[in-house]
């Protein structure tokens, strides 16, 4: 649509997001042309070459199973807002479509994924990334996962040469 105007090569695109943005890029990159699309821009493919997920939630109904600084279940939580201000656990029909793993299958092609998560993330537990990584490996998908020791949620620990180099190497290999 505006690729030429902004000097973007639409054949070499990566999605990269952190926290809820990580969830968003995973959903968009994994579902691509086959799910959850709108007719508004149907002539443009949302397919990308690869996805970088920094500490994104992957299963909102399981977020309270591990320690967190926030309640992820109540209607007024970010996860509750995601599904229409409903209790996440009491509304599995609304929560299930947001679970990344529910959109994966052995048959469906997806781009390579890089998952990075901090060992001291007290908001989105490290287990959220483990769930996704294990499912991707089980299905034979291309995935890398890196645990940043001592890193918290947001950029607390991610604004370092190590994290930057991991992402740059991944992008060079996959774009």
């Amino acid at each position: 649509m505006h690729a030429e105007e902004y000097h973007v090569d639409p054949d070499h695109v990566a999605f990269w997001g952190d926290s809820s943005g990580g969830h968003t890029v995973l959903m968009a990159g994994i579902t691509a042309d086959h799910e959850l699309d709108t007719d508004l821009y149907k002539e443009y493919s949302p397919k990308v070459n690869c996805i970088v997920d920094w500490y994104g939630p992957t299963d909102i109904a399981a977020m309270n199973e591990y320690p967190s600084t926030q309640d992820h279940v109540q209607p007024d939580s970010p996860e509750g807002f995601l599904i229409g201000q409903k209790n996440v656990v009491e509304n599995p029909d609304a929560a299930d479509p947001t679970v990344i793993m529910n959109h994966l299958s052995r048959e469906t092609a997806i781009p390579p994924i890089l998952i990075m998560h901090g060992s001291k993330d007290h908001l989105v537990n490290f287990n959220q990334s483990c769930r996704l990584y294990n499912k991707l490996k089980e299905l034979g998908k291309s995935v890398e996962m890196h645990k940043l020791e001592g890193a918290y949620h947001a950029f607390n620990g991610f604004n370092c040469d190590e994290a930057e180099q991991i992402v740059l190497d991944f992008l060079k290999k996959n774009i």
Side-chain angles (χ1 to χ4, degrees), residues 8-73:
V8 173
D9 181 351
D11 294 325
H12 296 93
V13 175
F15 282 164
W16 183 355
D18 71 305
S19 194
S20 65
H23 180 267
T24 300
V25 299
L26 287 165
M27 286 295 288
I30 288 171
T31 61
D33 284 329
H34 59 276
E35 285 185 55
L36 306 175
D37 207 2
T38 175
D39 289 335
L40 192 56
Y41 301 105
K42 199 130 185 103
E43 68 270 23
Y44 303 104
S45 173
K47 288 184 180 177
V48 294
N49 298 85
C50 59
I51 302 168
V52 178
D53 163 36
W54 277 10
Y55 45 85
T58 60
D59 184 348
I60 65 172
M63 289 184 74
N64 272 10
E65 292 177 8
Y66 294 87
S68 176
T69 56
Q70 180 175 312
D71 183 344
H72 299 279
V73 171

Side-chain angles (χ1 to χ4, degrees), residues 9-170:
D9 181 351
D11 294 325
H12 296 93
V13 175
F15 282 164
W16 183 355
D18 71 305
S19 194
S20 65
H23 180 267
T24 300
V25 299
L26 287 165
M27 286 295 288
I30 288 171
T31 61
D33 284 329
H34 59 276
E35 285 185 55
L36 306 175
D37 207 2
T38 175
D39 289 335
L40 192 56
Y41 301 105
K42 199 130 185 103
E43 68 270 23
Y44 303 104
S45 173
K47 288 184 180 177
V48 294
N49 298 85
C50 59
I51 302 168
V52 178
D53 163 36
W54 277 10
Y55 45 85
T58 60
D59 184 348
I60 65 172
M63 289 184 74
N64 272 10
E65 292 177 8
Y66 294 87
S68 176
T69 56
Q70 180 175 312
D71 183 344
H72 299 279
V73 171
Q74 297 307 314
D76 62 347
S77 70
E79 296 77 16
F81 268 91
L82 179 63
I83 63 168
Q85 291 184 278
K86 299 176 184 173
N87 180 295
V88 174
V89 175
E90 293 172 0
N91 293 279
D93 289 347
D96 284 352
T98 73
V99 176
I100 305 297
M101 289 70 72
N102 291 345
H103 299 277
L104 297 170
S105 71
R106 193 170 301 282
E107 299 78 31
T108 304
I110 62 169
I113 297 174
L114 170 63
I115 303 168
M116 296 175 67
H117 209 118
S119 67
K120 292 187 175 183
D121 191 328
H122 298 296
L123 184 61
V124 176
N125 191 281
F126 183 72
N127 178 269
Q128 288 287 304
S129 289
C130 293
R131 286 171 180 262
L132 176 59
Y133 176 78
N134 290 336
K135 185 66 174 183
L136 290 166
K137 289 304 278 184
E138 173 189 320
L139 296 173
K141 304 302 181 186
S142 176
V143 61
E144 292 180 31
M145 184 166 161
H146 295 270
K147 182 180 191 178
L148 290 182
E149 290 300 328
Y152 295 89
H153 196 75
F155 289 105
N156 296 322
F158 279 77
N159 56 344
C160 64
D161 292 341
E162 176 190 3
E164 182 180 297
Q165 194 60 55
I166 291 168
V167 173
L168 287 174
D169 290 345
F170 179 78

